[in-house]
Amino acid sequence: MRKIRCIVVDDESHIRVFMRAVLQRVGLDVVGEAANGDEGLSLVEKEKPDLVLMDINMPIKTGDEVIGLMKGKSPRSKIIMLTSVADAETITRCIEAGADDYIRKDTPYQEMTVLIKEITGDMEVEP
């Protein structure tokens, strides 16, 4: 069985580097990175990843603006929102738009790896 393919969409490069390290530590294949919702949408269309980790607040197009569009381009992709602001209204809006879950950016590294393993543990990927 192949590795789970994922992309990271965040306007902060240090967050992309951190998330790449977390995902690789868990054994996932990071196939791309994007710095805003528009770039993320193009990357989803091109790569059809199994998993998208995406920031909510970004320039050009925000994460919550492109969730539905991403699901339309790649319905099997699981979308996990990354946020430093975990207010219930924002999280609810993202889940209603099609996000599968969310992770706070300030989650410690070890805990983040456990969360990613839990989220991806039941994912089925096509060869």
Side-chain angles (χ1 to χ4, degrees):
M1 188 147 109
R2 71 168 173 79
K3 285 184 176 182
I4 293 172
R5 300 171 67 252
C6 52
I7 65 169
V8 179
V9 184
D10 197 299
D11 59 317
E12 298 178 86
S13 62
H14 68 280
I15 298 293
R16 292 194 308 269
V17 168
F18 174 73
M19 291 312 305
R20 176 182 284 273
V22 170
L23 294 167
Q24 289 173 335
R25 171 75 181 204
V26 175
L28 307 184
D29 186 14
V30 180
V31 296
E33 296 178 10
N36 62 59
D38 267 352
E39 290 178 9
L41 186 58
S42 295
L43 200 52
V44 164
E45 188 171 20
K46 177 183 172 213
E47 295 292 340
K48 303 282 193 265
D50 304 304
L51 178 66
V52 176
L53 268 74
M54 180 167 55
D55 188 16
I56 296 173
N57 297 314
M58 295 181 289
I60 302 175
K61 280 205 173 124
T62 63
D64 54 336
E65 288 178 319
V66 298
I67 295 168
L69 298 170
M70 285 183 173
K71 285 289 191 175
K73 303 271 184 206
S74 184
R76 294 180 54 94
S77 294
K78 192 175 260 196
I79 299 175
I80 308 303
M81 302 309 292
L82 297 171
T83 184
S84 52
V85 182
D87 67 276
E89 183 180 317
T90 302
I91 298 305
T92 300
R93 185 174 69 242
C94 290
I95 300 296
E96 288 174 352
D100 296 281
D101 210 334
Y102 79 97
I103 296 175
R104 285 187 52 100
K105 288 183 181 181
D106 60 358
T107 303
Y109 179 81
Q110 289 295 94
E111 194 177 326
M112 182 93 60
T113 60
V114 170
L115 287 170
I116 298 290
K117 284 179 186 176
E118 287 175 1
I119 289 167
T120 59
D122 63 347
M123 286 181 71
E124 292 182 20
V125 295
E126 294 178 1

